[in-house]
């Protein structure tokens, strides 16, 4: 809590402010409460001290009570992000009387009007409840974020007045760009324009487009810059009543911001683990957003911008490992190894490689080429849905609603079932979509397979129940699945109707046998937005078995110009080595040559040409480039290999956490240190056990100091050790304690930091050094994870 206040306005009314810092880092909520009868007594607690005389108070710990003589009391509440006066204006304009029944009736009429935008028919009451609950969920947010006079608090924390649009807040764009916003382009066109104008206003006030905005505050809690596809999707559909030049400027600024790995992406065309955590997900999602920018730039005639961004849109190719068939993390110029596509770790955003290996909606044809054609892609999709549903790595509550490794309970999977249409196996899309609608949605309190995520989970259902879904927002195509209802009609804002009928639809008859659009045979397995919006009639004939529908007329997304040369791969194994290091340079692309340097200079066609494995017996920094026959060059791949200054070995007496291996046992003595951003790796993590390591220096030496690096990130449950003990031995059997220290950092110190603990002691001969670091234990009551087990993250151990 940053600030609160309470003010007694009269014996019928109070007002105040709650200013807080949590998800939104500076959220203002002014309020006013009017009572239908006067209160006879009140009191205000300031820091838990009660006063019956105070009429106004401010602080961080306030409470109040009000006593009434009447048995029945009504209260009206209004809020504002601007001021108490704004809240009073809102209350007067929006809730002027005390007729509760009228207020309830008016609200019901408004919701009935909104929900009547889509009429569906069914003899199944459960399906009707589920559908209209889902439709309601898609309409709960975004929220109006201004007072009745148009005033609002902007991203710059200043008060502004909205002119010519309604200002909105609560944009969970990582979720909603996928299905919810495309749905709005059909049923909520005017609001869609206001959403985009709100985006652009936030850009003008805050410097970049919203990522996950709440109450005028950017939370940055998710990845990408997915306001871009929302803008581009609307523009391509003719919803263009906004400043397009300003929008392109905002897109370019947001995609070149100095944060979240973007500088590294622009430097070498990919994010590796050491560049940024969640590197795979960010590379893939940036690539899609960049494709959207390219399409927008092309429409606006900005040719150079188009070229720049269409090349960036292909960066996903540099993460596809042809040998494993998956999108795989890159580390030190190579592929991360060992690799498990089911593992949930910090290279992905709330997902694993199975769930992200189908994320290239802007270039599905490019993926087809990488994987070896339609049949291979179909088989890969089959593998996703039939794989063991058990994930490995960390526990991730967002990964739910599993069918194989498909996770419908989280957004990265939402488009995947529709990808079968791109392979010509549309009947598999129909079967899987039908299954998901039946298994993952119910008319019960637990009727969703995952977090609603501001309407996206329900938007998937609404669109799928209508019979189509947008795999690639930014195009005007909706991919056809299988309708749920015998009849559905969308009442469009232009006064026209779009109707979907499904003859012979039933629980068993979910396969499309044939289709017609406006009484003409329709053989495509996708539908144009413009056919919807002009008012049409789409008819399906349904049956119990797959048909030939979708074998032709397949959807298509493809990048066909300004093709990139893929980055080379530098395969040298572990970064740290003893003896000689062998290095291989290769790639995922034919008809290219590889050139490299080892002196720190940038490689080009005049550099050494790679022809066979390289061998090094000293530390080396390799830079490599791929150049095609026509002279096109890739980005530069770099790799560092460090020859260890000693031949020490290490034995771990306790097990580290699998996903925080820090490079294995030798990672504690390899000379490679981790950064405060532990999500990039290089830290060895322990939970529920202490650290217990024995280092063999291979010879007896006189030592007097040991340094061990520990991380503290209390919010992530990573806490510096409670105690560090150092013991030495000359024979590896009898150990003598030479150091014991404790309390290196307070658990209340929430600063993310690396603490290098120095253990100094009287010089002593030793060959073996045993290091024990004791866990803090259970997290204290005030912690968000109270009662949970702390982690120790340890890195380089040095002995002198």
């Amino acid at each position: 809590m940053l600030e609160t206040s309470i003010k007694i306005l009269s014996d019928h009314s109070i007002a105040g402010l709650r200013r807080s810092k949590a998800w939104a880092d500076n959220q203002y909520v002014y309020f006013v409460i009017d009572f239908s009868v006067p209160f006879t007594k009140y009191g205000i607690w300031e820091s838990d001290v009660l006063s019956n005389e105070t009429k106004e108070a401010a602080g961080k710990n306030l409470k109040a009570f009000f006593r009434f003589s009447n048995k029945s009391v009504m209260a009206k509440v209004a809020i504002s992000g601007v001021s108490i006066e704004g809240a009073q204006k809102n209350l007067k304009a929006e809730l002027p009387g005390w007729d509760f029944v009228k207020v309830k009736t008016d609200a019901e009429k408004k919701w009935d009007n909104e929900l009547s935008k889509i009429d569906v028919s069914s003899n199944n009451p459960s399906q009707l409840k589920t559908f209209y609950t889902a439709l309601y969920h898609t309409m709960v947010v975004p929220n109006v974020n201004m007072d009745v006079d148009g005033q609002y608090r902007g991203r710059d924390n200043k008060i502004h007045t909205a002119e010519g649009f309604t200002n909105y807040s609560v944009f969970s764009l990582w979720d909603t760009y996928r299905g919810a916003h495309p749905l709005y382009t059909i049923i909520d066109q005017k609001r869609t324009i206001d959403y985009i104008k709100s985006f652009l206003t936030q850009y003008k006030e805050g410097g970049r487009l919203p990522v996950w905005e709440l109450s005028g505050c950017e939370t940055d809690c998710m990845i990408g810059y997915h306001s871009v596809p929302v803008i581009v999707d609307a523009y391509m559909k003719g919803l263009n009543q906004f400043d397009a030049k300003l929008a392109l400027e905002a897109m370019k600024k947001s995609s070149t911001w100095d944060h979240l790995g973007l500088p590294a992406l622009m430097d070498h065309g990919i994010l590796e683990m050491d560049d940024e955590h969640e590197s795979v997900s960010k590379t893939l999602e940036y690539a899609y957003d960049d494709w959207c920018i390219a399409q927008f730039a092309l429409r606006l005639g900005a040719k150079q911008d188009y070229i720049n961004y269409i090349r960036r849109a292909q960066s996903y190719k540099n993460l596809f490992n042809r040998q494993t068939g998956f999108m795989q993390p890159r580390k030190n110029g190579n592929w991360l190894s060992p690799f498990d596509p089911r593992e949930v770790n910090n290279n992905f955003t709330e997902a694993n490689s199975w769930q992200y290996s189908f994320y290239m909606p802007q270039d599905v044809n490019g993926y087809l080429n990488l994987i070896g054609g339609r049949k291979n892609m179909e088989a890969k999709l089959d593998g996703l849905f039939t794989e063991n549903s058990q994930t490995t790595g960390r526990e991730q509550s967002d990964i739910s609603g599993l069918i194989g490794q498909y996770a419908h309970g989280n957004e990265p999977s939402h488009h995947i079932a529709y990808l079968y249409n791109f392979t010509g196996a549309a009947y598999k899309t129909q079967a899987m979509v039908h299954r998901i609608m039946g298994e993952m949605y119910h008319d019960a309190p637990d009727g969703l397979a995952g977090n609603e995520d501001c309407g996206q989970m329900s938007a998937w259902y609404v669109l799928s129940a209508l019979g189509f879904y947008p795999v690639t927002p930014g195009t005007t195509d909706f991919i056809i699945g299988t309708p749920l209802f015998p009849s559905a009609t969308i009442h469009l804002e232009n006064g026209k109707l779009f109707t979907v009928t499904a003859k012979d639809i039933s629980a068993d008859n979910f396969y499309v046998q044939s289709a017609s659009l406006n009484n003409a045979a329709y053989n495509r397995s996708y539908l144009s937005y413009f056919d919807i919006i002009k008012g049409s009639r789409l008819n399906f004939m349904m049956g119990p078995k797959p048909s030939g529908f979708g074998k032709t007329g397949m959807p298509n997304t493809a990048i066909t110009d300004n093709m990139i040369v893929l980055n080379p791969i530098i395969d040298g194994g572990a970064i740290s080595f003893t003896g000689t290091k062998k290095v291989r340079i290769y790639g995922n692309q034919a008809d290219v040559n590889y050139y490299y340097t080892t002196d720190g200079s940038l490689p080009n066609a005049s550099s050494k040409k790679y022809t066979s494995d390289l061998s090094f017996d000293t530390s080396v920094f390799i830079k490599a480039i791929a150049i095609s026959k026509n002279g096109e060059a890739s980005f530069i791949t770099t790799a560092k290999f460090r020859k260890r200054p000693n031949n020490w070995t290490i034995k771990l007496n306790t097990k580290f956490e699998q996903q925080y291996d820090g490079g294995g046992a030798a990672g504690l003595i390899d000379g490679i240190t981790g950064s405060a951003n532990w999500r990039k790796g290089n830290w060895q993590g322990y939970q529920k056990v202490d650290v217990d390591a024995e280092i063999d220096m291979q010879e007896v030496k006189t030592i007097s100091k040991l340094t061990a690096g520990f991380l503290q990130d209390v919010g992530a449950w990573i806490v510096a050790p409670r105690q560090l003990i150092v013991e030495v031995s000359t024979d590896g059997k009898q150990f003598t304690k030479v150091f014991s220290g404790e309390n290196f950092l307070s658990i209340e110190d929430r600063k993310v930091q690396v603490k290098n603990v120095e253990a100094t002691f009287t010089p002593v001969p030793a060959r073996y050094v045993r290091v024990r670091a004791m866990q803090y234990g259970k997290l204290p009551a005030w912690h968000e994870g109270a009662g949970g087990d702390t982690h120790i993250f340890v890195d380089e151990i040095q002995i002198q």
Side-chain angles (χ1 to χ4, degrees):
M1 188 68 62
L2 296 175
E3 176 184 2
T4 59
S5 66
I6 297 175
K7 185 177 184 180
I8 309 299
L9 301 179
S10 70
D11 61 0
H12 286 76
S13 183
I14 65 170
L17 164 67
R18 182 184 189 275
R19 179 172 165 244
S20 60
K21 179 178 182 179
W23 196 347
D25 63 4
N26 192 14
Q27 183 176 18
Y28 288 76
V29 181
Y30 292 93
F31 66 89
V32 60
I33 305 175
D34 282 1
F35 300 106
S36 59
V37 296
F39 45 83
T40 57
K41 188 175 182 180
Y42 74 89
I44 297 175
W45 284 273
E46 296 183 64
S47 299
D48 298 322
V49 177
L50 177 64
S51 170
N52 295 316
E53 305 296 330
T54 301
K55 289 193 173 183
E56 188 170 353
K60 292 186 178 182
N61 181 10
L62 299 180
K63 295 182 287 289
F65 79 88
F66 302 90
R67 183 173 296 167
F68 301 86
S69 59
N70 301 58
K71 292 183 178 180
S72 176
V73 179
M74 289 191 289
K76 299 188 296 187
V77 181
I79 61 174
S80 167
V82 175
S83 63
I84 290 174
E85 292 73 22
Q88 290 174 315
K89 290 179 183 179
N90 296 339
L91 186 65
K92 182 177 180 180
E94 297 177 347
L95 210 57
W98 289 102
D99 190 336
F100 180 83
V101 174
K102 181 179 183 302
V103 171
K104 178 175 177 291
T105 302
D106 288 347
E108 289 173 346
K109 287 179 180 178
K110 287 182 179 180
W111 274 112
D112 187 58
N113 182 61
E114 294 293 328
L115 296 174
S116 294
K117 291 177 178 180
I118 304 178
D119 287 329
V120 299
S121 64
S122 175
N123 294 322
N124 186 326
S126 177
Q127 286 183 347
L128 289 173
K129 289 178 184 176
T130 302
F131 179 84
Y132 281 107
T133 298
L135 186 59
Y136 164 75
H137 284 178
T138 69
M139 298 175 174
V140 174
V141 293
N143 302 144
V144 173
N145 188 34
M146 67 182 195
D147 295 339
V148 292
D149 60 5
Q151 287 197 322
Y152 66 91
R153 186 176 298 275
R155 283 272 293 276
D156 55 3
N157 201 32
K158 297 178 180 179
I159 306 305
H160 303 269
T161 300
E163 297 181 1
F165 75 103
T166 300
N167 189 54
Y168 282 89
S169 177
V170 191
F171 291 113
S172 178
L173 293 161
W174 183 79
D175 306 295
T176 56
Y177 85 87
R178 304 168 196 265
H181 279 284
L183 173 64
Y184 302 151
T185 65
I186 299 173
I187 66 172
D188 246 341
Q189 294 183 324
K190 182 182 181 302
R191 286 192 180 107
T192 291
I193 296 299
D194 283 339
Y195 298 156
I196 293 171
K197 288 183 177 179
S198 298
F199 294 171
L200 297 179
T201 297
Q202 290 190 28
Y203 165 67
K204 289 189 287 187
E205 295 166 359
R208 59 189 173 104
L209 292 167
V211 175
W212 209 127
E213 176 272 347
L214 174 63
S215 296
C217 301
E218 180 52 68
T219 69
D220 273 321
C221 80
M222 298 307 292
I223 68 172
Y225 25 92
H226 293 311
S227 48
V228 168
V230 174
I231 298 170
V232 175
D233 189 55
Y235 190 87
M236 296 301 177
K237 293 171 177 175
L239 304 178
N240 54 14
Q241 296 80 46
F242 56 86
D243 189 336
K245 289 185 178 180
L246 177 65
L248 180 59
E249 174 192 312
M251 293 175 191
K252 291 167 61 178
K253 185 72 173 291
S254 299
S255 63
T256 55
W257 200 262
D258 185 14
H259 72 163
L260 300 176
L262 286 171
L265 182 71
M266 291 183 286
D267 177 72
H268 42 268
I270 193 175
L271 291 179
E272 293 196 356
M273 288 177 59
D274 291 333
D275 294 322
E276 179 74 11
H277 66 276
E278 301 177 5
S279 59
V280 175
S281 297
K282 287 177 180 175
T283 298
L284 297 176
E285 297 205 27
Y286 287 152
Y288 164 67
D289 289 342
D290 289 340
W291 175 84
C292 289
I293 297 174
Q295 304 311 305
F296 194 67
L298 188 64
R299 280 292 184 94
L300 269 58
K303 293 183 179 179
Q304 190 57 53
D305 288 333
Y306 169 77
I307 292 170
N308 292 342
Y309 282 96
I310 203 66
R311 292 178 67 85
R312 283 176 56 160
Q314 299 171 66
S315 60
Y316 78 91
K317 298 175 182 178
N318 283 314
L319 288 180
F320 182 75
N321 187 342
R322 289 181 183 271
Q323 295 176 333
T324 63
F326 287 95
M327 296 294 171
Q328 190 166 334
R330 297 280 294 268
K331 183 177 179 64
N332 199 41
N334 198 5
W335 303 109
L336 174 66
S337 180
F339 167 71
D340 177 1
R342 294 187 297 141
E343 183 179 357
V344 181
N345 55 42
N346 289 311
N347 301 304
F348 301 91
T349 303
E350 299 180 0
N352 61 21
S353 183
W354 263 117
Q355 291 140 22
Y356 261 102
S357 285
F358 299 95
Y359 189 88
M360 64 303 293
Q362 75 277 17
D363 191 19
V364 176
N365 274 31
Y367 175 69
L368 283 169
N369 293 332
L370 289 174
I371 204 168
R374 298 185 192 280
K375 284 298 180 183
N376 284 356
M377 179 174 170
E378 181 183 344
K380 193 71 174 181
L381 287 165
D382 290 344
L384 170 76
F385 290 108
T386 58
E387 175 64 273
N388 187 319
S389 290
Q390 183 63 50
T391 59
T392 61
R394 75 162 181 259
E395 192 69 27
Q396 182 82 41
S397 61
D398 307 89
I399 300 176
S400 57
L402 287 159
I403 301 175
Q405 284 292 307
Y406 173 87
H408 192 73
N410 208 20
E411 281 67 24
S413 289
H414 277 192
H415 69 293
I416 297 177
Y418 286 90
L419 291 178
Y420 278 117
N421 283 33
F422 290 79
T423 73
Y427 73 94
K428 291 187 176 181
T429 285
Q430 296 156 27
M432 191 52 64
V433 168
H434 178 78
R435 178 179 175 182
I436 295 167
M437 285 193 289
E439 292 183 5
M440 305 295 175
Y441 296 86
H442 307 284
D443 59 333
D446 61 347
L448 294 176
N451 194 324
E452 177 59 76
D453 284 323
C454 294
Q456 170 56 28
M457 198 64 62
S458 288
W460 186 96
Y461 184 83
V462 170
L463 288 162
S464 295
L466 294 173
F468 46 83
Y469 185 81
V471 164
T472 313
T475 71
T476 57
D477 292 342
F478 288 84
I479 310 306
I480 290 174
T482 181
L484 185 63
F485 301 108
S487 177
T489 298
I490 303 175
H491 298 267
L492 302 166
E493 287 184 22
N494 60 13
K496 298 180 180 181
L497 304 177
F498 177 74
T499 301
V500 180
T501 63
K503 187 176 181 181
D504 297 332
I505 187 75
S506 70
D508 297 319
N509 290 6
F510 53 81
Y511 288 108
V512 175
Q513 306 298 299
S514 63
S516 65
L517 183 66
N518 298 326
N519 298 319
Y522 194 79
N523 298 315
R524 297 175 178 173
S525 62
Y526 61 97
L527 178 69
S528 170
Y529 169 83
F530 295 109
D531 284 327
I532 297 173
I533 215 68
K534 71 183 180 183
S536 298
R537 188 174 184 86
L538 179 62
N539 304 103
F540 292 105
M541 179 67 70
M542 311 301 291
K545 295 181 179 180
S547 72
F549 180 82
K551 288 186 178 179
T552 60
M554 291 171 278
N556 173 61
T557 63
I559 297 174
T560 58
D561 57 69
N562 293 283
M563 309 302 284
I564 65 168
V565 176
L566 302 186
N567 290 9
I569 297 153
I570 302 176
D571 180 6
I575 298 173
S576 180
F577 70 97
T578 57
T580 301
K581 171 64 68 176
K582 297 287 186 181
V583 177
R584 179 169 69 108
I585 301 175
Y586 70 102
N588 272 341
Q589 197 167 9
D591 299 324
V592 297
N593 291 313
Y594 300 103
Y595 301 87
Y596 69 95
T597 64
T598 57
D599 61 2
S601 63
L602 299 179
N604 54 43
S606 300
S607 302
K608 293 178 182 178
K609 184 177 179 181
Y610 175 81
T611 57
S612 61
D613 287 359
L614 307 176
S615 180
F616 303 96
D617 57 12
T618 60
S619 297
V620 64
F621 182 21
I622 303 172
K623 296 183 179 182
I625 194 169
I627 300 179
S628 68
K629 290 183 177 180
N630 64 3
E632 289 286 327
S634 70
F635 282 98
I636 294 171
T637 298
T638 63
K640 293 182 180 180
F641 299 101
R642 182 181 184 276
K643 187 164 186 178
R644 284 172 47 190
N646 54 59
N647 59 348
W648 297 354
T649 60
I650 187 169
K651 180 180 74 168
L652 300 179
N653 298 320
T654 51
K655 291 184 178 180
F656 53 73
E657 299 173 81
Q658 181 180 351
Q659 62 178 311
Y660 307 123
D661 64 5
L668 295 183
I669 54 172
D670 63 3
I672 302 166
T673 57
S675 70
N677 186 351
W678 54 270
R679 296 170 181 85
K680 293 181 180 181
N682 295 329
W683 287 97
Q684 200 168 93
Y686 294 78
Q687 189 182 37
K688 298 184 179 179
V689 296
D690 297 327
V691 180
D692 189 346
E694 293 181 26
I695 300 169
D696 180 356
M697 298 185 293
Q698 303 301 315
E699 62 179 342
V700 175
K701 297 180 177 181
T702 299
I703 61 173
S704 60
K705 180 179 178 182
L706 180 144
T707 304
F710 296 98
L711 180 73
Q712 178 141 309
D713 183 352
V714 175
W717 300 25
I718 302 168
V719 180
R722 172 174 50 84
Q723 184 181 25
L724 180 70
I725 296 175
V726 179
E727 299 170 307
V728 299
S729 171
T730 56
D731 60 6
K733 297 177 182 179
Q734 298 294 323
F735 283 85
T736 302
K737 184 190 295 186
V738 295
F739 176 85
S740 178
E742 56 188 23
N743 300 325
F744 306 109
L745 285 173
S746 168
I747 194 172
E748 296 181 356
D749 186 346
R750 298 181 72 96
K751 178 183 177 182
V752 179
Q753 58 191 295
V754 176
K755 177 65 175 179
N756 290 310
V757 177
E758 293 187 355
T760 57
F761 42 87
T762 302
V764 60
R767 171 176 172 175
Y768 301 91
V769 179
R770 184 181 183 189
V771 181
R772 288 187 290 157
M774 313 307 182
Q775 291 281 0
Y776 176 87
K778 301 292 184 180
L779 290 163
W782 54 261
H783 193 278
E784 305 92 303
D789 294 297
T790 58
H791 300 256
I792 288 179
F793 271 34
V794 59
D795 193 14
E796 199 63 18
I797 297 175
Q798 301 175 55
I799 303 171
Q800 296 175 296

